[in-house]
């Protein structure tokens, strides 16, 4: 039997501050009813100034290591999926690696927006299965509310801050682990969701930077249509790749951006909602953090047990999308 990259434990960390829909009624022209009907979100977590992505990533990674019973010195790689790293450089993975004491590990960031955890889990699994490393801590974390325009009602209600981390390691003679992955992209849709300021095209302290917007821009309708297609597309492909059907899936754990997108995808796959994990009402969209937090809570609630087949799927800025089938 070939090597498998098995998720041995999971941790999570979200911002403490809860912001309800009602609070938005005081700052923008909206209602709790509109937000719930259009998105499914009731509340989200908001990071304080100075609570960066590494702040939450460190907490999640420490919990994952503790629950795996591993010492930080044993960790060989830290991969951090984020598009809201503490800095352009150094990488947030390096900050996490240092803070958790993983002094024998490599560390790097991976930016695939809300599909980041899918891409990062596969990147780590590849290194683990081919023998480059024995194990990895894979973090999915974002603090998107630091980048929202609190006056833009079409985006500011959607996001929240936090994420999770898993400890993954090589095992033989097991059915557990990453079973199959698909990863796809369509850069022609890059303009639909972005932060224009701060990269090498529009650097801060430059004429171009002064003209660029530092807030999240999103063409909601285009992204919505893309998201529904992308969820269905990547789930169908990953099941076909593994020679399985949706009947084999114990739990569907999608990126939590919008309840309407999740239910449309579940419908397409013929999955009843009792096999779909949803926590978007509590957290909003946490970028690369949504999927690991959903996996964590599904496990805590007894909806995801060892040996179950779980299908994760994500989509986001790039545009990128993808899905993992994981034997938990
Ligand atoms: N409160 C009240 N009204 C709002 C509002 C808010 N918070 N946000 C937008 N509106 C208004 C719009 O201005 C628009 O008004 P108009 O018709 O007078 O112009 C109206 O509601 C309808 O807007 P529309 O964009 O058609 O709403 P929608 O049903 O498409 O829902 C989103 C908007 C953003 C919730 C939805 O498009 C969406 O979820 N898109 C995908 C987002 C996503 O997943 N992003 C993350 C990718 S990882």
């Amino acid at each position: 039997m070939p090597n498998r990259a098995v998720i041995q434990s999971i941790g999570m960390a979200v911002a403490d501050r809860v912001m309800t829909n009602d609070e938005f009624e005081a700052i923008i022209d909206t209602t709790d009813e509109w937000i719930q009907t259009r998105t499914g979100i009731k509340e989200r977590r908001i990071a304080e100034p100075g609570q960066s992505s590494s702040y939450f990533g460190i907490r999640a990674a420490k919990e994952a290591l503790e629950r795996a019973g591993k010492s930080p010195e044993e960790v060989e790689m830290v991969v951090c999926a984020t598009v809201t790293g503490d800095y352009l450089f150094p990488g947030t993975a390096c900050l996490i690696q240092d803070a958790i004491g993983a002094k024998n590990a490599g560390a790097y960031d991976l930016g695939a927006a809300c599909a980041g955890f899918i891409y990062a889990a596969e990147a780590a699994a590849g290194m683990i299965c081919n023998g480059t490393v024995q194990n990895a801590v894979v973090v999915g974390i974002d603090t998107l509310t630091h980048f929202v325009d609190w006056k833009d009602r079409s985006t500011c209600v959607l996001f929240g801050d936090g994420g999770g981390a898993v400890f993954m390691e090589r095992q033989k003679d097991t059915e557990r682990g990453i079973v199959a992955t698909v990863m796809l992209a369509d850069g022609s849709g890059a303009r639909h969701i972005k932060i224009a300021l701060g990269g090498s095209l529009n650097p801060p302290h430059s004429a171009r930077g002064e003209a660029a917007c530092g807030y999240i821009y999103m063409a909601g309708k285009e992204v919505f249509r893309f998201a529904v297609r992308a969820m269905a597309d990547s789930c169908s492909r990953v099941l076909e790749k593994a020679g399985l059907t949706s009947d084999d899936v114990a739990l569907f754990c999608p990126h939590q951006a919008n309840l309407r997108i999740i239910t449309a995808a579940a419908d397409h796959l013929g999955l009843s909602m009792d096999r779909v994990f949803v926590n978007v009402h509590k957290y909003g969209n946490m970028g690369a953090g949504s999927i690991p937090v959903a996996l964590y809570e599904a496990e805590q609630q007894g909806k995801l047990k060892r040996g179950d087949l779980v299908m994760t799927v994500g989509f986001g800025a790039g545009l990128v999308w993808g899905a993992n089938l994981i034997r938990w």
Side-chain angles (χ1 to χ4, degrees):
M1 193 172 273
N3 290 328
R4 275 287 175 85
V6 174
I7 291 175
Q8 300 290 26
S9 65
I10 184 160
M12 72 168 259
V14 295
D16 289 334
R17 155 96 168 94
V18 177
M19 185 170 184
T20 63
N21 290 345
D22 292 338
E23 289 180 64
F24 281 101
E25 294 183 9
I27 55 171
I28 49 167
D29 180 14
T30 193
T31 60
D32 171 46
E33 202 260 330
W34 191 97
I35 302 171
Q36 282 205 47
T37 315
R38 301 296 181 107
T39 70
I41 301 167
K42 295 183 181 171
E43 59 188 40
R44 71 288 291 139
R45 302 303 186 97
I46 308 290
E48 304 292 343
Q51 291 183 339
S52 59
S53 291
S54 73
Y55 176 89
F56 299 105
I58 290 162
R59 282 158 179 74
K62 279 186 175 166
E63 185 185 1
L65 279 185
E66 267 165 39
R67 294 183 72 205
K70 296 287 173 181
S71 72
E73 291 82 6
E74 291 174 80
V75 176
E76 295 186 17
M77 184 59 67
V78 178
V79 185
C80 180
T82 187
V83 286
T84 54
D86 290 29
Y87 307 106
L88 268 185
F89 60 87
T92 298
C94 295
L95 307 178
I96 296 171
Q97 171 268 331
D98 177 52
I100 66 175
K103 55 186 178 207
N104 298 309
Y108 70 97
D109 286 0
L110 185 156
C114 305
F117 191 75
I118 310 268
Y119 275 66
E122 177 58 28
M127 288 184 278
I128 287 170
C129 291
N130 74 19
T132 305
V133 295
Q134 178 72 33
N135 64 51
V137 171
V138 181
V139 184
I141 210 89
D142 270 307
T143 46
L144 288 157
T145 76
H146 289 314
F147 302 90
V148 302
D149 177 357
W150 295 101
K151 293 189 284 305
D152 175 6
R153 66 178 183 172
S154 64
T155 54
C156 70
V157 299
L158 302 176
F159 299 102
D161 300 321
V166 296
F167 179 77
M168 200 186 266
E169 75 181 340
R170 188 182 322 148
Q171 267 190 344
K172 270 191 186 303
D173 303 324
T174 179
E175 298 288 324
R176 295 179 64 215
I178 308 285
V179 175
T181 298
V182 296
M183 293 171 288
L184 293 146
D186 176 9
S188 73
R191 66 188 181 284
H192 292 319
I193 175 163
K194 66 179 180 185
I195 297 175
L197 174 66
S200 51
L201 183 63
N202 303 312
H205 316 301
S206 71
R208 288 188 62 98
E210 264 158 42
C213 179
Y215 294 127
I216 296 170
Y217 166 79
M218 189 178 67
K221 271 194 197 315
E222 280 80 359
V223 175
F224 190 97
R225 277 195 292 270
F226 149 70
V228 173
R229 268 198 325 270
M231 296 266 251
D233 174 48
S234 42
C235 290
S236 307
R237 287 188 198 225
V238 81
L239 286 168
E240 193 185 330
K241 195 170 181 178
L244 298 168
T245 72
S246 55
D247 291 343
D248 299 306
V249 174
L251 190 72
F252 179 46
C253 221
H255 172 50
Q256 309 279 319
N258 184 316
L259 184 59
R260 285 154 61 214
I261 296 173
I262 295 172
T263 49
D267 265 4
H268 176 89
L269 292 162
L271 284 168
S272 56
M273 286 307 281
D274 59 328
R275 282 196 288 154
V276 179
F277 190 79
V278 176
N279 62 5
V280 69
H281 54 287
K282 293 198 293 181
Y283 299 117
N285 179 349
M286 295 191 289
S290 280
I291 290 173
V293 169
L295 289 169
Y296 182 100
E297 293 200 329
E299 188 184 67
Q300 291 287 308
Q301 294 168 21
K303 293 178 178 165
L304 181 55
K305 297 184 198 71
R306 187 174 269 224
D308 281 350
L309 188 69
V310 56
M311 180 161 62
T312 62
V313 56
F315 57 88
L319 301 165
V320 290
W321 64 105
N324 285 323
L325 273 175
I326 305 166
R327 182 74 63 187
W328 196 249

